[in-house]
């Protein structure tokens, strides 16, 4: 058993900021005490956090590692993706296992366990994507929940691929409501979008910017409203993934004001990038093709406001990287063939600290809440993860609020040949990253090992 002491730091949780030392045994936090007053006894490891913050490790509730999409596969697998996450201070992820149409849910879940097992640097859990909701899969949902996979995602977008119709969504939601599961929605009406895409291509509009122009925010607003209505009728909690648009946010605000269990996340790309990036000259815009698309710049302020007012609860990444060479370039002649997704698993905390906390948009406590505590609560990982408390897993960051570094494909660790934030200097980053008490990143060097990360079973949904 390793005993670790973190001393001299300032602990920051979603609600408190205070100076304290912290003891870890057997992977868990065993004591929090006034600075220098700790119980005598030998520690195997002592970390000096003087002048630094001690934060709960980041929880990224939306990643796509080793995921087949658009005739290729996202370029990070569970080894490279979780390693990059650890470097950036994220100590747990919830990735999306996918049911292949016609197959049992269990088969998709088994495939994802196989992809992750023995490879992850940090702890991981799964959501289950349902591509069929029918007499075979609905009864199977309870069995999936019993295995600690307590949320199901459905898509209103991507007809013919991941799309399910309203009847299927409604049935899935009804069952989720009965068994304590959460529904995650990709709430974007894909049917008119596909028509707009065909019409654009027929006019010879093939450049990456048309990915954005064919997916207007009204498609997301309508999907969000419809998802809320269906969830209300079905009696299920619903969580909007990657909310990007002001009009979609309005729907969430209205539902929450009525007291419905409606939740939403946004992602750093919608806070820090915009349609202008998608419109970069030549084929460079392909780097910024993700779904929903990057929106006009002025919408960034609406999303920041949503984070401040708690109408948006979480910032996750939707990490789904594809290399420019050999992947994004599949769409050189047609934006519709550009694989949708961007890298982000490593850069979320850097961007939110620098552009959120330091820029005066959110407090340190709110930073912890949206990157760790809220996703832990919503996804059933709390109180084991997502806060600093006696008994919680020692997933911790010693965080240097003044550390400067430049985001670049060369300095980051994700397996992708570009960075959407190339050359951007950010201030703030972890000097130590602990996963269940074990130091896995120390002053920029990875000191953990492949397979340190374990599958985590999540509890059923328990918020209102
Ligand atoms: Zn996604």
């Amino acid at each position: 058993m390793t005993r670790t002491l973190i001393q001299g730091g300032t602990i920051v949780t979603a609600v408190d900021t205070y100076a304290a030392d912290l003891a870890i045994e057997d992977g868990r936090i065993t004591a929090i005490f006034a600075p220098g007053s700790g119980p005598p006894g030998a520690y195997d490891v002592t970390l000096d956090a003087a002048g630094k913050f001690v934060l709960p490790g980041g929880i990224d509730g939306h990643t796509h590692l080793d995921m087949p999409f658009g005739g290729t596969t996202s370029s990070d697998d569970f080894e490279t993706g979780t390693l990059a996450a650890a470097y950036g201070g994220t100590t747990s992820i919830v990735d999306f296992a996918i049911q292949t149409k016609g197959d049992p849910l269990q088969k998709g879940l088994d495939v994802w366990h196989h992809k992750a097992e023995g490879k992850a640097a940090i702890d991981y859990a799964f959501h289950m994507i349902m591509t069929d909701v029918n007499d075979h899969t609905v009864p199977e949902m309870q069995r999936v929940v019993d295995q600690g996979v307590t949320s199901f995602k459905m898509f209103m977008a991507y007809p013919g691929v991941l799309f399910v119709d309203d009847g299927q969504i409604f049935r899935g939601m009804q069952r989720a409501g009965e068994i304590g599961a959460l529904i995650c929605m990709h709430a974007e009406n894909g049917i008119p979008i596909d028509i707009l895409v065909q019409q654009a291509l027929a006019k010879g509009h093939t450049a990456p910017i048309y990915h954005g122009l064919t997916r207007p925010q009204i498609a997301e607003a309508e999907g969000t409203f419809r998802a809320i209505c269906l969830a209300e009728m079905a009696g299920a909690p619903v969580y909007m993934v990657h909310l990007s648009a002001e009009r979609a946010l309005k729907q969430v605000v209205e539902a929450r004001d009525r007291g419905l269990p409606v939740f939403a996340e946004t992602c750093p790309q919608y806070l820090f990038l915009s349609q202008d990036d998608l419109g970069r000259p030549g084929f460079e815009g392909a780097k910024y093709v993700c779904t929903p698309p990057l929106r006009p710049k002025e919408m960034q302020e609406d999303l920041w406001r949503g984070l401040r007012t708690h109408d948006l609860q979480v910032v996750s990444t939707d990490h789904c990287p594809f290399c420019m060479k050999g992947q994004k370039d599949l769409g050189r002649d047609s934006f519709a063939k550009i694989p949708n997704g961007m890298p982000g698993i490593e850069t979320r905390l850097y961007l939110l600290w620098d552009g959120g906390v330091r820029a005066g948009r959110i407090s340190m406590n709110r930073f912890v809440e949206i990157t760790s505590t809220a996703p832990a609560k919503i996804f059933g990982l709390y109180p084991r993860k997502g806060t600093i408390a006696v008994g919680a897993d020692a997933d911790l960051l010693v965080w240097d609020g003044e550390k400067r570094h430049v985001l670049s494909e060369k300095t980051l660790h994700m397996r992708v040949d570009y960075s959407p934030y190339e050359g951007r200097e950010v201030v703030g980053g972890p000097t130590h990253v602990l996963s269940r008490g074990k130091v896995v990143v120390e002053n920029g060097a990875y000191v953990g090992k492949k397979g340190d990360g374990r599958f985590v079973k999540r509890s059923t949904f328990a918020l209102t």
Side-chain angles (χ1 to χ4, degrees):
M1 190 197 325
T2 307
R3 300 184 71 197
T4 303
L5 178 72
I6 303 179
Q7 63 179 11
T10 299
I11 292 180
V12 183
T13 70
V15 285
D16 294 313
T17 306
Y18 58 100
D21 295 350
L22 191 155
I24 300 163
E25 263 177 54
D26 216 14
R28 294 194 178 214
I29 298 166
T30 50
I32 299 169
F33 37 84
S37 74
Y43 291 94
D44 308 296
V45 179
T46 300
L47 302 177
D48 178 14
K52 303 198 178 85
F53 300 107
V54 181
L55 314 175
I59 296 175
D60 189 344
H62 188 155
T63 67
H64 299 285
L65 299 175
D66 203 356
M67 185 187 84
F69 185 89
T72 184
T73 302
S74 60
S75 59
D76 267 319
D77 61 15
F78 276 83
E79 184 178 348
T80 61
T82 58
L83 181 67
Y87 272 110
T90 286
T91 53
S92 301
I93 60 167
V94 191
D95 200 83
F96 287 91
I98 305 179
Q99 177 220 0
T100 302
K101 257 186 211 304
D103 283 349
L105 301 178
Q106 187 65 48
K107 196 167 165 190
L109 190 51
D110 291 346
V111 167
W112 251 259
H113 274 296
H114 182 72
K115 284 175 190 278
E117 216 168 291
K119 292 197 190 131
I122 54 166
D123 287 354
Y124 59 95
F126 298 129
H127 309 280
M128 182 88 233
I129 289 175
M130 295 181 81
T131 55
D132 284 317
V133 185
N134 57 34
D135 291 345
H136 300 288
T137 56
V138 169
E140 230 194 317
M141 290 169 73
Q142 178 72 63
R143 199 141 49 88
V144 170
V145 167
D146 292 343
Q147 294 169 65
V149 176
T150 56
S151 47
F152 297 87
K153 182 181 181 186
M154 294 184 284
F155 286 77
M156 291 175 162
Y158 305 125
V161 189
L162 297 162
F163 174 90
V164 285
D165 67 27
D166 288 356
Q168 294 188 68
I169 291 169
F170 186 64
R171 275 192 83 180
M173 284 175 163
Q174 280 184 318
R175 188 66 185 140
E178 288 161 4
I179 63 177
L182 175 68
I183 292 293
C184 299
M185 280 304 306
H186 181 134
E188 197 191 23
N189 192 335
I191 291 174
I193 286 171
D194 270 16
I195 293 169
L196 290 172
V197 168
Q198 292 316 318
Q199 290 170 345
L201 290 173
K203 285 187 205 143
H205 296 158
T206 59
I209 185 67
Y210 289 99
H211 172 74
L213 300 178
T214 54
R215 308 184 87 93
Q217 70 152 329
I218 181 73
E220 188 183 345
E222 187 276 335
T224 303
F225 177 65
R226 183 155 40 98
I228 290 167
C229 294
L230 292 168
E232 185 176 1
M233 281 195 281
V238 64
Y239 177 94
M240 306 304 160
V241 296
H242 50 46
L243 189 140
S244 71
E246 184 264 337
R247 289 180 64 181
L249 176 58
K250 271 200 176 127
Q251 302 302 327
V252 172
V253 171
E254 192 268 347
R256 290 176 63 82
D257 285 351
R258 287 197 292 123
L260 294 174
V262 172
F263 305 88
E265 66 177 20
T266 189
C267 310
Q269 54 269 34
Y270 304 115
L271 297 166
F272 296 102
L273 301 171
S274 76
Q275 200 174 61
D276 300 345
D277 294 297
L278 199 52
R280 288 189 189 204
F283 191 61
E284 208 198 337
K287 293 176 179 172
Y288 302 93
V289 168
C290 58
T291 301
L294 299 180
R295 302 293 185 186
K297 202 171 173 50
E298 57 270 20
M299 258 180 233
Q300 293 173 355
E301 284 314 312
D302 296 303
L303 300 176
W304 282 112
R305 189 188 63 238
L307 286 169
R308 275 196 301 276
T309 58
H310 294 238
D311 289 308
L312 294 172
Q313 295 79 47
V314 173
V315 176
S316 66
T317 64
D318 197 9
H319 177 74
C320 191
F322 297 100
C323 290
M324 283 295 276
K325 196 167 180 291
Q327 298 194 294
K328 291 280 191 182
D329 60 10
L330 292 169
R332 223 168 242 292
D333 301 322
S334 162
F335 69 87
K337 292 187 182 143
I338 300 170
N340 292 188
M342 282 173 48
I345 203 167
E346 186 175 359
T347 48
R348 181 179 62 135
L349 300 186
Y350 297 144
L351 289 164
L352 285 171
W353 183 271
D354 184 70
V357 176
R358 281 183 59 95
R361 288 175 162 133
I362 51 172
S363 68
M364 286 195 292
N365 309 96
R366 186 65 182 148
F367 168 88
V368 168
E369 189 166 25
I370 63 181
T371 59
S372 181
T373 313
K377 287 182 174 176
I378 291 170
F379 296 131
L381 291 164
Y382 188 87
R384 190 167 154 196
K385 297 188 185 290
T387 194
I388 296 179
V390 171
D393 280 358
D395 292 354
L396 297 166
L397 311 178
V398 178
W399 184 269
D400 180 348
E402 303 299 325
K403 185 177 160 184
R404 284 176 181 274
H405 58 143
V406 174
L407 303 182
S408 164
E409 183 230 329
K410 290 178 187 68
T411 58
L412 296 166
H413 304 84
M414 297 171 282
R415 190 163 65 188
V416 58
D417 62 2
Y418 75 96
S419 168
Y421 306 99
E422 186 66 41
R424 181 184 170 125
E425 190 188 57
V426 289
V427 177
T431 59
H432 295 80
V433 178
L434 286 79
S435 169
R436 273 182 284 99
K438 179 178 169 179
V439 178
V440 293
V441 175
E442 188 168 19
N443 296 314
Y446 179 62
V447 294
K449 67 174 198 312
K450 174 175 157 177
D452 277 344
R454 291 187 203 148
F455 173 69
V456 185
K457 288 185 173 187
R458 295 184 291 119
S459 313
T460 50
F461 184 79
L463 295 176
T464 48

